[in-house]
């Protein structure tokens, strides 16, 4: 299997749903199924927080959600836990600045998808050097889904990265909704990444569909 192309990566980043067992009162599998029915294009399993699952329970949930994504042909990405990603043959890994060095992760995962969080031009350039396929930039807007999130940067950071010649696929993250999606796409993001806009929605399917429509319409402008 070869590395994902930049074009396919950009398409996959359109509606990038992220969740773990702590992000909904409902079973993760039910929420993910509805989100996939609504048109999610990429999924990240992110098991974090004080009551996060660990060990065999975490792996069992990961395998359950991975199976669901496979039936929809949607790639399954694991957040932080490189060993788990390799153990279950996930489609990729996403690492933050405080996680394992992206260059080391690239060596371990071969051609799997590698996503890296970046907050500025220096971190973006380092991620590209390390072999990232995309970068996650944010929080763009205030978020309650990541307790150690940095200050919200606004869409301006996306414009700045593009002006500085950063051409790698970029997904915006942090407080993203269907209402602010156009602003982040116009500022230079290739797609949007969300937790609560889908996981906390009364209708995850409709929420995912609204995000997909907002991204599609922004790309037509
Ligand atoms: C994982 C992560 N990284 C930056 S903000 C964030 C949380 C995004 O959650 P929400 O879409 O609910 O704001
Ligand atoms: C922190 C993150 C930033 N961006 C993405 C896509 N995922 C994350 N977990």
């Amino acid at each position: 299997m070869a590395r994902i192309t930049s074009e396919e990566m950009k398409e996959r980043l359109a509606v990038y749903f992220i969740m773990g067992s702590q992000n909904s009162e409902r079973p993760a599998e039910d929420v993910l199924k509805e989100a996939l029915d609504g048109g999610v294009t990429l999924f990240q399993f992110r098991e974090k927080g004080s009551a996060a699952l660990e060990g065999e329970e975490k792996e069992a949930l990961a395998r359950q959600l991975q199976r669901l994504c496979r039936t929809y042909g949607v790639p399954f990405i694991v957040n932080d836990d490189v060993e788990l990603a390799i153990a279950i043959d996930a489609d990729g890994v996403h690492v933050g600045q405080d996680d394992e060095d992206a260059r080391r992760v690239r060596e371990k995962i071969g051609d799997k998808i590698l996503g890296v969080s970046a907050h500025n031009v220096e971190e973006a350039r380092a991620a590209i050097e390390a072999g990232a396929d995309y970068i996650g930039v944010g929080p763009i807007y205030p978020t309650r889904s990541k307790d150690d999130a940095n200050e919200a940067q606004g869409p301006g950071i996306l414009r700045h990265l593009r002006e500085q010649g950063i051409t790698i696929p970029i997904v915006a993250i942090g407080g993203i909704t269907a209402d602010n999606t156009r602003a982040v796409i116009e500022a230079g993001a290739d797609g949007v990444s969300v937790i609560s806009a889908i996981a906390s929605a009364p209708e995850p399917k409709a929420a995912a569909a609204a995000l997909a429509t907002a991204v599609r319409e922004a790309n037509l402008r």
Side-chain angles (χ1 to χ4, degrees), residues 5 10 15-16 40 43-44 56 84 128 156 170 177 196 207 215-216:
T5 64
K10 289 178 182 178
V15 183
Y16 187 177
V40 155
F43 176 71
Q44 179 185 130
E56 286 179 15
L84 174 62
I128 293 161
I170 296 179
T177 66
S196 54
V215 170
R216 191 169 43 249

Side-chain angles (χ1 to χ4, degrees), residues 16 18 44 46 79 94 117 134 136 146 171 173 193:
Y16 187 177
I18 300 179
Q44 179 185 130
R46 179 175 177 273
N79 185 54
H94 185 95
S117 302
Y134 74 83
K146 178 183 171 74
V171 67
I173 188 166
S193 187

Side-chain angles (χ1 to χ4, degrees), residues 18-104:
I18 300 179
M19 91 171 283
S21 65
Q22 306 301 301
N23 297 116
S24 172
E25 299 297 311
R26 300 176 58 200
E29 188 175 20
D30 295 349
V31 177
L32 178 55
K33 183 178 185 329
E34 293 173 25
L36 289 163
D37 286 334
V40 155
T41 50
L42 188 60
F43 176 71
Q44 179 185 130
F45 176 57
R46 179 175 177 273
E47 190 60 15
K48 288 240 172 167
S50 54
L53 302 179
E54 295 178 335
E56 286 179 15
E57 276 189 313
K58 178 179 177 183
E59 180 171 329
L61 177 58
R63 287 182 183 279
Q64 187 188 38
L65 302 181
Q66 178 184 35
R67 261 194 309 277
L68 192 51
C69 287
R70 194 164 281 150
T71 66
Y72 284 79
V74 169
F76 181 85
I77 307 292
V78 175
N79 185 54
D80 290 1
D81 194 337
V82 180
E83 278 56 48
L84 174 62
I86 291 168
I88 66 175
D89 192 22
D91 297 295
V93 170
H94 185 95
V95 291
Q97 288 296 319
D98 308 331
D99 299 315
E100 191 169 354
D101 172 61
R103 200 181 297 276
R104 292 271 304 110

